[in-house]
Amino acid sequence: MEIVEQHIPVLKREALDALNIRSDGVYVDATLGRAGHARAILERLGDNGRLIGFDRDPRAIELASAIFAEEPRVQIIHSDFARMAEKLHAVAQLESVDGVFMDLGVSSPQLDQAERGFSFMRDGALDMRMDTTQGESAAQWLASVDERDLMMVLFDLGEEKFARRIARAIVLERDESAIQTTLHLARIVEEATPKKDKHKHPATRTFQAIRLHVNQELSQVSEALPQAVSLLNEGGRLAVISFHSLEDRIVKRFIRDLSTPNLPPKNIPVTSDMYLTPLKPIGKAIKPTADEVRENPRARSSVLRIAERTAVPYLGGKHA
């Protein structure tokens, strides 16, 4: 089967180096997408290596299943990564892995398919669900959400300074006519925005906020990160690519918290190994080169953070 959807993996070389892949290791791609990173990981695995791929998007699962149809080293699981540990145990029969990779946010093919409802540049059904088999679509949510709740979503998740005006305009419009398409919503937002950004469409932040809410993306990240650490073998790597400051902030703080010792008050004697941490950060945050951004403008906001699992036990939450 020929795969026709084009997707350029962001920070591919850097992500592969970050995982420090062993040929006989077991690795998780928690966000398969169009399998660009997964294929690159597989190229570095030997006959005894293993790759487990997750995605909540049925289309991504369909395409990945076709790509890896003849590949016994790959197992594909239709699930969001917030259930990573549960699914690895129950489906893949695995208790631990040597690396976990996450590529957060919406993929280029999802944005490019008008019928998915992610883009304000193409007219399509206002869906925005990454997993179209379950949950409430954006149109369904907008039809009933309280105006204040909508305003808070736009402000908190979209960092939209005109959140109040936009929420009011959406509620007034839906009372007259159901908001079912992307361009309908984009027009409402544009008309409600008194001051336009020269370099950004007025609907950018609103669409982002609604997408993040419909898919519960930030809570998914917060739930998945501790699971990844609990699954990693000593020396295993966690590599996460974020595209939005809210996502990156969660990843950055998580790695910082699990790599910063809880030091005792001064003058209390301790041994040097009493305050070791479950994670140690590897290098600084990595951003795409100017050449990559020229080749793939969607890489512009990407940030890769890396951490390595230590021998210190981790039972979830902040380390002791």
Side-chain angles (χ1 to χ4, degrees):
M1 174 180 176
E2 183 182 358
I3 307 302
V4 296
E5 292 187 16
Q6 184 179 13
H7 174 61
I8 304 173
V10 171
L11 293 167
K12 183 172 75 170
R13 177 183 59 79
E14 293 85 349
L16 290 176
D17 291 345
L19 289 170
N20 197 25
I21 296 171
R22 295 189 356 244
S23 64
D24 61 346
V26 179
Y27 295 88
V28 170
D29 184 338
T31 49
L32 263 176
R34 294 328 182 237
H37 290 101
R39 280 181 276 188
I41 292 170
L42 194 62
E43 288 174 0
R44 296 198 182 186
L45 293 180
D47 292 341
N48 295 322
R50 192 172 174 189
L51 174 64
I52 315 298
F54 286 84
D55 209 291
R56 63 202 295 197
D57 185 339
R59 178 59 175 162
I61 293 296
E62 178 188 356
L63 291 173
S65 297
I67 291 168
F68 298 118
E70 305 299 324
E71 182 47 76
R73 297 171 297 170
V74 177
Q75 185 170 7
I76 298 169
I77 299 175
H78 180 205
S79 173
D80 57 69
F81 56 47
R83 302 175 66 194
M84 186 191 324
E86 170 198 342
K87 293 293 185 179
L88 278 175
H89 298 330
V91 180
Q93 308 297 309
L94 286 170
E95 297 299 322
S96 63
V97 299
D98 298 300
V100 175
F101 171 69
M102 301 179 186
D103 182 7
L104 306 178
V106 65
S107 70
S108 297
Q110 287 170 330
L111 284 170
D112 292 337
Q113 294 164 0
E115 67 272 17
R116 300 301 300 273
F118 290 107
S119 175
F120 46 78
M121 302 300 292
R122 298 172 174 84
D123 199 22
L126 191 58
D127 194 312
M128 293 198 194
R129 289 173 298 168
M130 290 182 177
D131 186 347
T132 53
T133 67
Q134 60 181 333
E136 190 176 43
S137 72
Q140 291 170 325
W141 181 68
L142 286 176
S144 61
V145 63
D146 177 78
E147 181 178 336
R148 177 172 173 76
D149 291 341
L150 174 57
M151 179 193 72
M152 294 307 299
V153 165
L154 299 183
F155 183 79
D156 291 340
L157 300 184
E159 300 176 303
E160 173 57 71
K161 60 184 176 180
F162 300 116
R164 188 183 301 276
R165 295 174 65 108
I166 293 170
R168 177 94 284 256
I170 289 173
V171 169
L172 288 174
E173 179 72 13
R174 80 182 183 194
D175 290 343
E176 299 295 327
S177 174
I179 305 169
Q180 299 286 348
T181 67
T182 52
L183 290 190
H184 187 182
L185 176 60
R187 176 181 59 77
I188 297 167
V189 176
E190 187 168 12
E191 291 176 355
T193 304
K195 186 177 180 181
K196 310 296 191 292
D197 188 325
K198 292 181 180 179
H199 307 292
K200 186 175 292 187
H201 191 285
T204 300
R205 294 184 178 89
T206 293
F207 270 66
Q208 169 194 287
I210 295 173
R211 189 202 87 215
L212 287 170
H213 174 78
V214 165
N215 295 289
Q216 293 296 296
E217 292 178 49
L218 299 186
S219 62
Q220 291 259 319
V221 175
S222 296
E223 292 173 28
L225 289 171
Q227 294 179 49
V229 176
S230 68
L231 289 164
L232 285 173
N233 292 317
E234 181 181 353
R237 294 282 184 86
L238 170 66
V240 185
I241 297 176
S242 305
F243 290 83
H244 186 275
S245 59
L246 295 176
E247 295 169 334
D248 184 53
R249 193 176 305 149
I250 293 171
V251 178
K252 179 181 179 179
R253 288 177 176 173
F254 178 81
I255 293 175
R256 181 196 63 196
D257 286 348
L258 266 67
S259 59
T260 303
N262 292 326
L263 297 175
K266 292 181 179 179
N267 303 320
I268 293 181
V270 295
T271 60
S272 60
D273 62 347
M274 286 180 65
Y275 289 90
L276 299 177
T277 60
L279 284 183
K280 66 175 181 179
I282 303 297
K284 297 181 179 180
I286 298 172
K287 298 184 178 181
T289 63
D291 287 343
E292 179 171 4
V293 172
R294 276 194 295 271
E295 180 182 348
N296 181 16
R298 286 176 176 168
R300 182 178 293 106
S301 61
S302 61
V303 180
L304 170 64
R305 295 188 187 274
I306 312 158
E308 184 173 291
R309 187 73 168 88
T310 71
V312 176
Y314 175 65
L315 301 177
K318 199 176 187 306
H319 62 282

